Amino acid sequence: MSAAWEKFKLCFINYSAVAANAALEYDTPKIVHIKNKTVGVINRLVQLGIIGYIVGFAIVYEKGYQKTEDVVSSVTIKVQGLGYTNGTGLFENAGDRVWDSADYVIPPQQC
């Protein structure tokens, strides 16, 4: 039994070390400098085209920052029981009050 336990501990330690290394390691991109004016100009034109599309068309022309959507859903809850307020805090002018489930509903529901 002891040999099996030692083997299990070693296996667990190895797997935990592999998992820790995988979680904490990262890759760095290799930086390559291309000294070609044609490629550089094409790169900058593509970048300007993307930025121009985002700013010019999607934001300014289409007014994407102003778009709104209609409400798609609503929330309904069922309230049961009674509540009691003692007239302190927000309800100082209300005095002591017992609330039932009809008082909880805001705005009041009409049947």
Side-chain angles (χ1 to χ4, degrees):
M1 182 69 88
S2 177
W5 178 250
E6 291 298 323
K7 187 175 181 181
F8 173 76
K9 286 193 329 188
L10 285 174
C11 185
F12 179 76
I13 290 171
N14 288 339
Y15 282 126
S16 62
V18 168
N21 287 339
L24 299 176
E25 70 183 13
Y26 62 95
D27 297 328
T28 58
K30 186 175 184 179
I31 298 174
V32 178
H33 293 280
I34 300 173
K35 296 182 179 183
N36 186 334
K37 290 182 181 178
T38 305
V39 173
V41 168
I42 292 171
N43 181 31
R44 295 300 180 203
L45 286 175
V46 168
Q47 288 176 344
L48 286 172
I50 292 170
I51 292 172
Y53 168 76
I54 292 171
V55 172
F57 182 75
I59 295 177
V60 175
Y61 181 73
E62 290 287 320
K63 296 187 179 181
Y65 60 92
Q66 292 180 346
K67 289 188 178 178
T68 59
E69 294 290 328
D70 293 333
V71 176
V72 178
S73 67
S74 62
V75 176
T76 303
I77 62 170
K78 183 177 180 182
V79 181
Q80 294 180 346
L82 297 175
Y84 173 75
T85 55
N86 63 2
T88 60
L90 295 175
F91 300 105
E92 287 184 28
N93 58 354
D96 294 345
R97 181 172 177 188
V98 177
W99 301 68
D100 66 352
S101 59
D103 294 327
Y104 291 144
V105 178
I106 298 173
Q109 245 180 353
Q110 302 295 324
C111 296

